[in-house]
Amino acid sequence: MNIDPRESLISAATHFYQKGWMVGTAGNLSARLPDNSFWITASGRPKGELTEQDFVRVDIDGQVLEKPNPDFRPSAETSIHQVIYQSFPEAKACYHVHSIEANLVSNFTEGNGLLLPSLEMLKGLGIWQENPSVEMPLFVNHLEVKKIANEISDRFLESPPKIPALLIRNHGVTVWANSPESAYNYIELVEYIFRYMMAARQVSF
Amino acid sequence: MNIDPRESLISAATHFYQKGWMVGTAGNLSARLPDNSFWITASGRPKGELTEQDFVRVDIDGQVLEKPNPDFRPSAETSIHQVIYQSFPEAKACYHVHSIEANLVSNFTEGNGLLLPSLEMLKGLGIWQENPSVEMPLFVNHLEVKKIANEISDRFLESPPKIPALLIRNHGVTVWANSPESAYNYIELVEYIFRYMMAARQVSF
Amino acid sequence: MNIDPRESLISAATHFYQKGWMVGTAGNLSARLPDNSFWITASGRPKGELTEQDFVRVDIDGQVLEKPNPDFRPSAETSIHQVIYQSFPEAKACYHVHSIEANLVSNFTEGNGLLLPSLEMLKGLGIWQENPSVEMPLFVNHLEVKKIANEISDRFLESPPKIPALLIRNHGVTVWANSPESAYNYIELVEYIFRYMMAARQVSF
Amino acid sequence: MNIDPRESLISAATHFYQKGWMVGTAGNLSARLPDNSFWITASGRPKGELTEQDFVRVDIDGQVLEKPNPDFRPSAETSIHQVIYQSFPEAKACYHVHSIEANLVSNFTEGNGLLLPSLEMLKGLGIWQENPSVEMPLFVNHLEVKKIANEISDRFLESPPKIPALLIRNHGVTVWANSPESAYNYIELVEYIFRYMMAARQVSF
């Protein structure tokens, strides 16, 4: 049994980078281990060419447990991964990317939830209804990341999201899943939906 | 003589996935064998990395005949492939993909046919006219796939389509052809036409 | 000295196909030999996977001289390549591709010339001026290709074009150059300009 | 210690070419050596397939010191690289590319600075503020490149830019950094911001 998920994270990052969703070192990916610690991308590393040295292992409270490269720090947004793993015990992977489309659709509403279009693709996020009406939770982008993390934690405790994804305004999307493979699919699905929303608005739908 | 078309289906799926037309496991491809059974992609498999294990062979009535991987089920949309093979005896391949553009143009009309622009590319779909006026049949997306399949079967019996392609609203395009190579070309041609229609509307044509 | 330019044509076709400019077997590329005959892509071959068998060698009057594969015919648009080589003795390569953008910008005017934006990129097409005002010749798309070819020949005899490129409405762009390498660059430059024109109109410039 | 940065420049050019930012031989990349001379791409070479022969080494005043291929001249825009290295002693690399988006956003204002949107991505360019308001310096595109270079030099002496990037109207973006790796990231970041600005305008933001 392979308990080191870094290979999956590297492969996902390469793909997301090529798609333009992790340019200029943006974004961060993590995967949780059986002991409840998680590997997360180190801060400031180019996502198109990660190696196993470009990760840091932290515990659920954010304490660094293992650093293959002593110069690297965990992602500046580690606290968001912590609250995801704390809020969702079944979550084994948490992926955050910064697409242009995610940034723009996050401004389609001033509220705290983004209504998604009624697409077949929602089935892939667990929504099996005819003409479903689903919102993606939307959060304010504070300069202090811990403040964002706390707002996520608080809101999800009160009202759990219907889909495993959240948006931070002007700051990209975060998904979580019970495996790296599913987290990869969720990123593809939400980015597809964001591109659809942008294209729909361009043709005035 | 090679009667196993799975290699062609895998290669087509890889290409369509890279184009963004089969993201998040969406879409399904099939090819018919001389004995009238057909190989179809298994449900929920990632289309960018299919292997021969990711297919199921079913007969024309949808009964499973062969499953290299016992855990896999045939695509949830197998019934649409069945009615295509039943309606068009010459069809040897049937490809269904979910592009953003196909979803959007399916909403350019409320009717049951989408008027295509008069492009040189229509020659590739068998239309050799100056300034041709051709519609692509358009169907409602029911949650129950068999209901969609029945409507396709009924309508095509009454009025056969002029081109080997149909749209399901918000649910992508399906083409059929007398070989996997031609089905691949047809997908490229219809997606080109959809991108053209989207771009034309963006510049207010 | 290598006088067989098919390798260059194959490599260019692969690139143009990947860019989406030669989908569904569309487009055709040729290169002239010292004896004034030229190799041209055979009709209906998939442009993303050409081999040396996928070409036909014809003389300047369009007579077939050599067919590695006896089943193949020269491109249906060979007559356009003939008039280019007849009109421009220095032309050694002639490339024709079908991008979505070329089709759309060909409708930006009802006249017989498309005014190009004043871009730095025009230098690559031989225009060295500050704020240049250059038109690309634009022709009607007749179903009979010879009719298009004749109109090109007639107009260029009367008024030679300022740049080595012409548009056929709804039917893509054709460039010619004194080497396959330069023809490749010209295709890239004109397609860049078309994409620019489309994007400019989308933001209402 | 490796003091020859051409490998980094080749790899960056290949990537930028594939993104469509260096098509048709456009753009130029350079890196400064410890002796204050710099390697710069030769004029007119295809940027998708550079080799070490496709560079020229010049001193800070633009005099040619080394030409692996005697037929090649330094980029026509070498004078811009000179003023960047003269103005910023810490700059070790200077990259100039010609994207469609850079050209278009350069026309979003008639002034001499382009206001950038308040994106998370600005952190990568050294701006750590909540809702930052930052301008990218914008220059007129003169046919004589030295005139552009002089205007850059003069303006930066008076008012140093807040970010390591400048735009020339209709003529692409230039960035500089203390390493080729950082220059590569800066190009990615500014191009991301330009694409964002274009997309935002398309949805009327």
Side-chain angles (χ1 to χ4, degrees):
Chain A
M1 180 194 163
N2 178 14
I3 60 161
D4 188 339
R6 283 178 289 178
E7 210 55 54
S8 296
L9 299 179
I10 289 170
S11 154
T14 303
H15 181 72
F16 297 156
Y17 171 78
Q18 287 166 352
K19 288 286 184 185
W21 306 337
M22 299 192 91
V23 304
T25 84
N28 32 78
L29 308 183
S30 76
R32 173 144 66 169
L33 302 177
D35 71 357
N36 220 16
S37 70
F38 58 92
W39 283 109
I40 188 164
T41 42
S43 185
R45 305 302 302 154
K47 298 308 184 294
E49 37 192 70
L50 293 179
T51 71
E52 296 205 348
Q53 311 300 307
D54 293 312
F55 292 83
V56 176
R57 191 161 67 86
V58 300
D59 70 14
I60 193 85
D61 299 315
Q63 298 303 309
V64 173
L65 301 176
E66 197 176 344
K67 289 207 287 189
N69 184 322
D71 293 343
F72 293 168
R73 288 166 302 111
S75 162
E77 287 153 10
T78 299
S79 55
I80 293 175
H81 293 251
Q82 290 169 240
V83 302
I84 292 298
Y85 291 128
Q86 286 161 358
S87 304
F88 304 103
E90 74 285 9
K92 300 294 181 223
C94 179
Y95 287 7
H96 167 56
V97 299
H98 280 244
S99 77
I100 286 171
E101 291 80 9
N103 284 341
L104 282 162
V105 300
S106 76
N107 291 292
F108 281 14
T109 177
E110 296 187 352
N112 67 3
L114 178 71
L115 183 64
L116 302 182
S118 165
L119 289 178
E120 186 70 14
M121 284 297 188
L122 289 173
K123 285 184 184 167
L125 294 170
I127 305 295
W128 287 78
Q129 297 169 25
E130 205 153 300
N131 298 314
S133 171
V134 180
E135 283 197 353
M136 185 179 293
L138 178 53
F139 294 86
V140 172
N141 187 27
H142 303 292
L143 191 58
E144 196 195 345
V145 179
K146 280 214 169 134
K147 198 169 166 195
I148 308 174
N150 288 341
E151 291 181 6
I152 292 170
S153 177
D154 290 351
R155 196 193 310 172
F156 282 180
L157 197 63
E158 220 172 83
S159 62
K162 287 192 190 153
I163 54 172
L166 66 88
L167 263 181
I168 304 171
R169 191 167 281 126
N170 292 328
H171 184 163
V173 71
T174 301
V175 305
W176 54 95
N178 61 8
S179 72
E181 290 71 27
S182 289
Y184 177 94
N185 278 341
Y186 290 171
I187 285 287
E188 287 217 297
L189 289 169
V190 297
E191 290 293 344
Y192 179 98
I193 293 169
F194 298 153
R195 287 197 305 279
Y196 177 95
M197 292 174 76
M198 281 295 295
R201 190 165 285 218
Q202 284 172 26
V203 294
S204 306
F205 272 25
Chain B
M1 180 192 164
N2 178 13
I3 61 161
D4 188 338
R6 283 177 289 177
E7 210 54 55
S8 296
L9 299 179
I10 289 169
S11 153
T14 303
H15 180 72
F16 298 155
Y17 172 78
Q18 287 166 352
K19 289 285 183 184
W21 306 338
M22 299 193 91
V23 305
T25 85
N28 31 79
L29 308 183
S30 76
R32 175 147 63 171
L33 303 177
D35 71 357
N36 221 16
S37 70
F38 58 91
W39 282 109
I40 188 164
T41 41
S43 185
R45 305 303 303 155
K47 298 306 184 295
E49 36 191 70
L50 293 179
T51 71
E52 296 205 348
Q53 311 300 306
D54 293 312
F55 292 83
V56 177
R57 189 160 69 85
V58 300
D59 69 15
I60 193 85
D61 299 315
Q63 297 304 308
V64 173
L65 300 177
E66 199 176 343
K67 290 207 288 188
N69 184 322
D71 292 343
F72 292 168
R73 288 168 301 111
S75 161
E77 287 152 11
T78 299
S79 54
I80 293 177
H81 294 251
Q82 290 170 240
V83 302
I84 292 299
Y85 291 129
Q86 286 160 0
S87 304
F88 304 103
E90 73 284 10
K92 300 294 180 222
C94 178
Y95 288 5
H96 167 56
V97 300
H98 281 244
S99 78
I100 286 171
E101 291 80 9
N103 284 340
L104 281 162
V105 300
S106 76
N107 292 291
F108 280 15
T109 177
E110 295 187 352
N112 66 3
L114 179 70
L115 184 64
L116 303 182
S118 166
L119 288 178
E120 186 68 15
M121 284 297 189
L122 289 173
K123 286 185 185 167
L125 294 170
I127 305 295
W128 288 77
Q129 296 169 26
E130 207 154 298
N131 298 315
S133 171
V134 180
E135 282 197 352
M136 187 179 292
L138 179 53
F139 294 88
V140 172
N141 188 26
H142 302 292
L143 191 57
E144 196 195 343
V145 179
K146 281 215 169 133
K147 199 169 166 193
I148 308 174
N150 288 341
E151 291 183 4
I152 293 170
S153 177
D154 290 352
R155 195 193 311 171
F156 282 0
L157 197 64
E158 218 173 85
S159 63
K162 287 193 190 153
I163 53 172
L166 66 87
L167 263 181
I168 305 171
R169 193 167 279 125
N170 291 329
H171 184 164
V173 71
T174 301
V175 305
W176 55 96
N178 61 8
S179 71
E181 290 70 29
S182 289
Y184 178 94
N185 278 342
Y186 290 171
I187 286 286
E188 288 216 297
L189 289 169
V190 296
E191 291 294 344
Y192 179 97
I193 292 169
F194 298 152
R195 288 197 304 279
Y196 177 94
M197 293 174 75
M198 281 295 296
R201 190 166 286 220
Q202 284 172 26
V203 294
S204 306
F205 273 24
Chain C
M1 181 195 164
N2 176 13
I3 60 160
D4 187 339
R6 284 178 288 177
E7 211 54 56
S8 295
L9 300 179
I10 289 170
S11 152
T14 303
H15 180 72
F16 298 155
Y17 171 78
Q18 287 165 352
K19 289 285 185 185
W21 305 338
M22 299 192 92
V23 305
T25 84
N28 32 78
L29 309 183
S30 76
R32 175 148 60 172
L33 303 177
D35 71 358
N36 220 18
S37 70
F38 58 92
W39 283 108
I40 187 164
T41 41
S43 185
R45 305 303 303 154
K47 298 307 184 296
E49 36 191 69
L50 293 179
T51 71
E52 296 204 349
Q53 311 301 307
D54 293 311
F55 292 83
V56 177
R57 188 162 69 85
V58 299
D59 70 15
I60 193 87
D61 299 315
Q63 298 303 309
V64 173
L65 301 176
E66 198 175 344
K67 290 207 287 189
N69 184 322
D71 293 342
F72 292 169
R73 288 168 300 112
S75 163
E77 287 153 9
T78 299
S79 54
I80 293 177
H81 294 251
Q82 289 170 239
V83 302
I84 292 298
Y85 290 129
Q86 286 161 358
S87 304
F88 304 103
E90 74 285 10
K92 300 293 181 225
C94 179
Y95 288 5
H96 167 55
V97 300
H98 280 244
S99 78
I100 286 172
E101 291 80 9
N103 284 340
L104 282 162
V105 299
S106 76
N107 292 292
F108 280 14
T109 176
E110 296 187 352
N112 67 3
L114 179 71
L115 184 64
L116 302 181
S118 166
L119 289 178
E120 186 68 15
M121 284 296 188
L122 289 173
K123 286 184 185 167
L125 294 171
I127 305 295
W128 287 78
Q129 298 169 24
E130 206 153 298
N131 298 315
S133 172
V134 180
E135 282 196 356
M136 187 179 294
L138 179 53
F139 294 88
V140 172
N141 188 26
H142 302 292
L143 190 57
E144 196 195 344
V145 179
K146 281 213 169 136
K147 199 169 166 193
I148 308 175
N150 289 340
E151 291 182 6
I152 292 170
S153 177
D154 290 351
R155 193 188 317 168
F156 282 0
L157 197 63
E158 219 173 84
S159 63
K162 287 191 190 153
I163 53 173
L166 66 87
L167 262 181
I168 304 171
R169 193 166 280 126
N170 290 330
H171 184 162
V173 73
T174 300
V175 306
W176 54 95
N178 61 8
S179 71
E181 290 70 29
S182 289
Y184 177 94
N185 278 342
Y186 290 171
I187 286 286
E188 288 216 298
L189 289 169
V190 296
E191 291 293 343
Y192 179 97
I193 293 169
F194 298 152
R195 288 197 304 279
Y196 177 93
M197 292 175 76
M198 281 295 297
R201 191 166 285 218
Q202 284 171 28
V203 295
S204 306
F205 272 25
Chain D
M1 181 194 162
N2 178 12
I3 61 161
D4 187 339
R6 284 178 289 177
E7 210 54 55
S8 296
L9 300 179
I10 290 170
S11 152
T14 302
H15 180 72
F16 298 156
Y17 172 78
Q18 287 165 352
K19 289 286 184 186
W21 305 337
M22 299 192 92
V23 305
T25 83
N28 33 77
L29 309 183
S30 76
R32 174 148 61 172
L33 303 177
D35 71 358
N36 220 15
S37 69
F38 58 92
W39 282 109
I40 186 164
T41 41
S43 185
R45 304 303 303 153
K47 298 308 184 296
E49 36 192 70
L50 294 178
T51 72
E52 295 204 348
Q53 311 300 307
D54 293 312
F55 292 82
V56 176
R57 189 161 69 85
V58 300
D59 71 14
I60 193 85
D61 300 315
Q63 298 303 308
V64 173
L65 300 177
E66 197 174 344
K67 289 208 286 188
N69 183 322
D71 293 341
F72 292 169
R73 288 168 300 113
S75 163
E77 286 152 11
T78 299
S79 55
I80 293 177
H81 294 251
Q82 289 170 242
V83 301
I84 292 299
Y85 291 128
Q86 285 160 358
S87 305
F88 304 103
E90 75 284 10
K92 300 292 181 225
C94 178
Y95 288 4
H96 167 55
V97 300
H98 280 245
S99 78
I100 286 172
E101 291 80 9
N103 284 341
L104 282 163
V105 300
S106 76
N107 292 291
F108 279 15
T109 177
E110 295 186 352
N112 66 4
L114 178 71
L115 184 64
L116 303 181
S118 165
L119 290 177
E120 185 70 13
M121 284 296 188
L122 289 173
K123 285 183 185 168
L125 294 170
I127 306 295
W128 288 78
Q129 298 169 24
E130 205 153 300
N131 298 316
S133 171
V134 181
E135 282 197 353
M136 186 179 294
L138 178 55
F139 294 87
V140 173
N141 187 27
H142 302 292
L143 189 58
E144 196 194 345
V145 178
K146 281 215 169 134
K147 198 168 167 194
I148 308 174
N150 288 340
E151 291 182 6
I152 293 170
S153 177
D154 290 352
R155 191 184 325 164
F156 282 179
L157 197 63
E158 218 173 85
S159 63
K162 287 192 191 153
I163 54 173
L166 67 87
L167 261 181
I168 304 171
R169 192 166 281 127
N170 292 329
H171 184 161
V173 72
T174 300
V175 306
W176 54 95
N178 61 8
S179 72
E181 291 70 29
S182 289
Y184 178 94
N185 278 341
Y186 290 172
I187 286 286
E188 288 217 297
L189 289 168
V190 296
E191 291 293 343
Y192 179 98
I193 292 169
F194 298 152
R195 287 197 306 279
Y196 177 94
M197 292 174 76
M198 281 294 297
R201 190 165 286 218
Q202 284 171 27
V203 295
S204 307
F205 272 26

